[in-house]
Amino acid sequence: MIALRRFLRTPEAVAGALILAALLAMALSAPWFFPRDPQSIAGPALLRPFQDWTLPLGTDRLGRDVMAGLFHGARASLAVGLAAAAGAILIGAVVGTLAGFAGGLLDEILMRITDAFQTVPGFLLALAFVSVAGPSLATVIVAITLGAWTGPARIARAEVLSIRERDYVAGARVIGMHPLEIAFREILPNALPPVLALSSVIVAAAILTEAALSFLGLGDPNRVTWGGMIAEGRAVLRSAPYLSIIPGVALVLTVLGVYLAGEGLVETSATRRMNA
Amino acid sequence: MSEPLLAVSGLSKHYRRAGRTITALDGVSFQVNRAETFALVGPSGSGKSTVARLLLRLADADAGSIHFEGQDLMALRGEKLRAMRPRLQMVFQDPRSAFNPRATVGRVLDDPLRIHGLAGRDERPRAVETLLERVGLSPALTLRAIHEISGGQRQRVAIARAIATKPSLIVLDEALSALDVSVRADILDLLVSLQLDEGISYLFISHDLGVVARVAHRVAVMDAGAIAETGEARQIIAAPSSPIGKALVAAMPSLAQPVSKEAE
Ligand SMILES: Nc1ncnc2c1ncn2[C@@H]1O[C@H](COP(=O)(O)OP(=O)(O)O)[C@@H](O)[C@H]1O
Ligand SMILES: [Mg+2]
């Protein structure tokens, strides 16, 4: 409760949380407000925003509802951001814990693999993976996860290295606990906070990467995405700049919101830990 | 004489740090009998904790042997080592760091019972309560988080965990040092009564000969990784033969001051 109050007293954090709440509301309400396929034709082509109250943000080159696209696009952004971050943190935490706890050869092997993944820029890795595996929401998520788990793995390993020397880990060995239980039940939960602190950055990066893939035409072709909308709008950038600007602004706001809310969370939990 | 419960022979351990080699232990030998309290006393850095870590197989010795209940401890690994764990337990110095910060009292005591299948799933809550009662704590503590209880209570929980698997030997590494003097006497009494009831042996590690004098049957005085002298506790306190033994006796708090109820 105290943490919540502290969170609410940070204006940036509140702004971030409000943006995220709006995004979540858009994503959840999309099928309800816009039950029609957002890729279907809803009116005349290239209708400007604020001309027709049934199509408040206008239509694109093919007469598709921009507002509907924005709402449905929020679903894709949110799904990819959250799923990729969850996957990256899960893989990173497991790899980092095993490496840090086991040490020796296993540590060496796992960290070489981590190095290898880290050397390749995440976006190139995602690009390569989607090109091979074919564009779909699931492959986009896997592709982004592949490039995002190395940071969590390194942080988890460093944390585990310091925790495994503590008395309580020795105590767990003394009572005969199985090494895997020690690693994943005794150590991992205590190593998690600094790893979770990375999540906002990962979510934000994942949303941007998804948009970039969609922009390049490597997003899920059966879904409206903000990146895809920006790419569509490019063809008529001079005559109808709003088609690129609207999803672009949504993207920037979302990334900003995720980042601000994440920073706020990390800050409040850090002060809480200091006070504990 | 029957064979000793624990026979340590020629134990050596070196640490390499920043290019230098530190000799933590250099040929340490001693024996602990059944139902005996054997103390290791020595100044800080003399290698006492290293002995404890090697005995509990938390680190590997460079040389020497450890025979416990007739088994060659240093030859055990993996499952065999875990199967031996119930027999040899340890209580750590600092009760604040000895438990997972997320654990509850109940979980800490349930773990050894579950791991070694010492009680069925349905019987374990009752077994945990019994353990708490045996160390003088209320069974109502079961649901409390470890960080919610006092240092003295935590050390009692540590002792309860150590006796949960019915060991024949418990290593206590400075187990009283982090506690208030008033609490120390109570914990000492608890240890003594558990020994009388169950015939547990203690390897009692301390830098304080005054505390050792109260519980130990026999004492080994350690200095710089080696044992300087071994003998009956009474005899060493009355007439230490080694320089380090003399220094430790000289540093003892005056025996005229009662440290516990026993002195009354
Ligand atoms: N993990 C370690 N790495 C390097 N040196 C160590 C380590 N553990 C203990 N030592 C050294 O070994 C010696 C004995 O330490 P220790 O057994 O902890 O002594 P005591 O418990 O009697 O104070 C000390 O010089 C200490 O610095
Ligand atoms: Mg020590």
Short mmCIF file of all heavy atoms in Angstrom, two decimals, chain B residues 15-17 22-25 42-51 53 173-174 205, ligand 1:
data_model
loop_
_atom_site.label_atom_id
_atom_site.label_comp_id
_atom_site.label_asym_id
_atom_site.label_seq_id
_atom_site.Cartn_x
_atom_site.Cartn_y
_atom_site.Cartn_z
N TYR B 15 43.40 -22.15 0.17
CA TYR B 15 42.63 -21.28 -0.73
C TYR B 15 43.60 -20.49 -1.56
O TYR B 15 44.61 -19.99 -1.06
CB TYR B 15 41.75 -20.32 0.07
CG TYR B 15 40.57 -20.98 0.75
CD1 TYR B 15 40.55 -21.14 2.12
CD2 TYR B 15 39.48 -21.42 0.01
CE1 TYR B 15 39.47 -21.74 2.75
CE2 TYR B 15 38.40 -22.02 0.62
CZ TYR B 15 38.40 -22.17 2.00
OH TYR B 15 37.34 -22.75 2.61
N ARG B 16 43.31 -20.38 -2.84
CA ARG B 16 44.12 -19.53 -3.70
C ARG B 16 43.33 -18.26 -3.96
O ARG B 16 42.19 -18.30 -4.41
CB ARG B 16 44.42 -20.25 -5.02
CG ARG B 16 45.74 -20.97 -5.01
CD ARG B 16 45.74 -22.12 -6.00
NE ARG B 16 44.83 -23.18 -5.60
CZ ARG B 16 45.15 -24.16 -4.75
NH1 ARG B 16 46.35 -24.22 -4.23
NH2 ARG B 16 44.27 -25.09 -4.43
N ARG B 17 43.92 -17.18 -3.59
CA ARG B 17 43.21 -15.91 -3.81
C ARG B 17 44.21 -14.87 -4.27
O ARG B 17 45.24 -14.66 -3.65
CB ARG B 17 42.53 -15.47 -2.50
CG ARG B 17 41.71 -14.21 -2.67
CD ARG B 17 40.73 -14.05 -1.54
NE ARG B 17 39.50 -14.81 -1.77
CZ ARG B 17 38.42 -14.73 -0.99
NH1 ARG B 17 38.43 -13.96 0.06
NH2 ARG B 17 37.36 -15.43 -1.26
N ILE B 22 46.55 -19.33 0.55
CA ILE B 22 46.31 -19.23 1.99
C ILE B 22 46.11 -20.64 2.53
O ILE B 22 45.30 -21.40 2.00
CB ILE B 22 45.04 -18.40 2.27
CG1 ILE B 22 45.19 -16.99 1.70
CG2 ILE B 22 44.74 -18.37 3.76
CD1 ILE B 22 43.87 -16.25 1.64
N THR B 23 46.88 -20.98 3.54
CA THR B 23 46.69 -22.29 4.16
C THR B 23 45.66 -22.13 5.29
O THR B 23 45.97 -21.60 6.34
CB THR B 23 48.01 -22.82 4.70
OG1 THR B 23 48.93 -22.92 3.61
CG2 THR B 23 47.83 -24.20 5.32
N ALA B 24 44.44 -22.59 5.01
CA ALA B 24 43.38 -22.46 6.02
C ALA B 24 43.48 -23.58 7.04
O ALA B 24 43.25 -23.37 8.23
CB ALA B 24 42.02 -22.47 5.35
N LEU B 25 43.82 -24.78 6.58
CA LEU B 25 44.00 -25.92 7.48
C LEU B 25 45.24 -26.68 7.07
O LEU B 25 45.50 -26.87 5.89
CB LEU B 25 42.80 -26.88 7.40
CG LEU B 25 41.46 -26.41 7.93
CD1 LEU B 25 40.45 -27.54 7.81
CD2 LEU B 25 41.57 -25.94 9.37
N GLY B 42 39.39 -21.21 19.06
CA GLY B 42 40.56 -20.59 18.46
C GLY B 42 40.21 -19.19 18.04
O GLY B 42 39.03 -18.85 17.91
N PRO B 43 41.22 -18.37 17.83
CA PRO B 43 40.95 -17.00 17.43
C PRO B 43 40.37 -16.96 16.02
O PRO B 43 40.43 -17.95 15.29
CB PRO B 43 42.33 -16.33 17.47
CG PRO B 43 43.30 -17.44 17.32
CD PRO B 43 42.67 -18.64 17.94
N SER B 44 39.82 -15.83 15.66
CA SER B 44 39.25 -15.64 14.33
C SER B 44 40.32 -15.90 13.27
O SER B 44 41.45 -15.48 13.42
CB SER B 44 38.72 -14.21 14.24
OG SER B 44 38.23 -13.99 12.95
N GLY B 45 39.95 -16.65 12.23
CA GLY B 45 40.90 -16.94 11.16
C GLY B 45 41.74 -18.17 11.40
O GLY B 45 42.60 -18.51 10.59
N SER B 46 41.51 -18.87 12.52
CA SER B 46 42.34 -20.04 12.81
C SER B 46 41.90 -21.28 12.03
O SER B 46 42.57 -22.31 12.07
CB SER B 46 42.33 -20.32 14.31
OG SER B 46 41.02 -20.50 14.78
N GLY B 47 40.76 -21.20 11.32
CA GLY B 47 40.37 -22.32 10.47
C GLY B 47 39.17 -23.11 10.97
O GLY B 47 38.83 -24.15 10.39
N LYS B 48 38.49 -22.63 12.02
CA LYS B 48 37.38 -23.39 12.60
C LYS B 48 36.24 -23.58 11.60
O LYS B 48 35.73 -24.69 11.43
CB LYS B 48 36.85 -22.67 13.86
CG LYS B 48 37.94 -22.34 14.87
CD LYS B 48 37.37 -21.62 16.08
CE LYS B 48 36.69 -20.30 15.78
NZ LYS B 48 37.59 -19.23 15.32
N SER B 49 35.84 -22.49 10.95
CA SER B 49 34.72 -22.60 10.00
C SER B 49 35.10 -23.48 8.81
O SER B 49 34.25 -24.15 8.23
CB SER B 49 34.30 -21.22 9.50
OG SER B 49 33.74 -20.48 10.55
N THR B 50 36.37 -23.45 8.46
CA THR B 50 36.81 -24.31 7.36
C THR B 50 36.61 -25.78 7.73
O THR B 50 36.17 -26.58 6.90
CB THR B 50 38.28 -24.01 7.00
OG1 THR B 50 38.39 -22.62 6.70
CG2 THR B 50 38.72 -24.82 5.81
N VAL B 51 36.93 -26.13 8.97
CA VAL B 51 36.68 -27.50 9.42
C VAL B 51 35.20 -27.84 9.25
O VAL B 51 34.83 -28.88 8.69
CB VAL B 51 37.10 -27.68 10.90
CG1 VAL B 51 36.63 -29.04 11.43
CG2 VAL B 51 38.60 -27.56 11.05
N ARG B 53 32.96 -26.49 7.24
CA ARG B 53 32.58 -26.57 5.83
C ARG B 53 33.05 -27.88 5.19
O ARG B 53 32.35 -28.46 4.36
CB ARG B 53 33.14 -25.37 5.06
CG ARG B 53 32.50 -24.04 5.47
CD ARG B 53 33.05 -22.88 4.68
NE ARG B 53 32.82 -23.02 3.25
CZ ARG B 53 31.64 -22.78 2.67
NH1 ARG B 53 30.63 -22.38 3.38
NH2 ARG B 53 31.49 -22.95 1.37
N ASP B 173 28.55 -23.81 14.41
CA ASP B 173 29.64 -22.88 14.14
C ASP B 173 29.30 -21.51 14.71
O ASP B 173 28.54 -20.76 14.11
CB ASP B 173 29.89 -22.80 12.63
CG ASP B 173 31.12 -21.96 12.31
OD1 ASP B 173 31.79 -21.48 13.26
OD2 ASP B 173 31.43 -21.79 11.12
N GLU B 174 29.87 -21.18 15.86
CA GLU B 174 29.60 -19.89 16.51
C GLU B 174 28.09 -19.66 16.63
O GLU B 174 27.61 -18.54 16.43
CB GLU B 174 30.23 -18.73 15.72
CG GLU B 174 31.71 -18.88 15.44
CD GLU B 174 32.59 -18.30 16.53
OE1 GLU B 174 32.06 -17.95 17.62
OE2 GLU B 174 33.81 -18.22 16.32
N ILE B 205 31.80 -25.06 17.89
CA ILE B 205 32.86 -24.17 17.44
C ILE B 205 32.65 -22.78 18.04
O ILE B 205 31.55 -22.23 17.98
CB ILE B 205 32.86 -24.07 15.90
CG1 ILE B 205 33.22 -25.44 15.31
CG2 ILE B 205 33.82 -22.99 15.43
CD1 ILE B 205 33.15 -25.49 13.80
N1 LIG C 1 36.42 -18.99 0.71
C1 LIG C 1 37.64 -18.58 1.14
N2 LIG C 1 38.52 -18.04 0.27
C2 LIG C 1 39.73 -17.64 0.68
N3 LIG C 1 40.18 -17.73 1.93
C3 LIG C 1 39.35 -18.25 2.84
C4 LIG C 1 38.04 -18.71 2.51
N4 LIG C 1 37.45 -19.18 3.62
C5 LIG C 1 38.35 -19.03 4.61
N5 LIG C 1 39.49 -18.48 4.16
C6 LIG C 1 40.70 -18.19 4.95
O1 LIG C 1 41.02 -19.33 5.68
C7 LIG C 1 41.43 -18.99 6.98
C8 LIG C 1 40.55 -19.68 8.01
O2 LIG C 1 39.25 -19.12 7.95
P1 LIG C 1 38.05 -19.67 8.82
O3 LIG C 1 38.00 -21.14 8.70
O4 LIG C 1 36.83 -18.92 8.43
O5 LIG C 1 38.48 -19.26 10.28
P2 LIG C 1 37.61 -19.09 11.61
O6 LIG C 1 36.28 -19.69 11.38
O7 LIG C 1 38.42 -19.79 12.66
O8 LIG C 1 37.55 -17.63 11.88
C9 LIG C 1 41.39 -17.48 7.08
O9 LIG C 1 42.67 -16.97 6.84
C10 LIG C 1 40.45 -17.09 5.96
O10 LIG C 1 40.79 -15.84 5.45
#
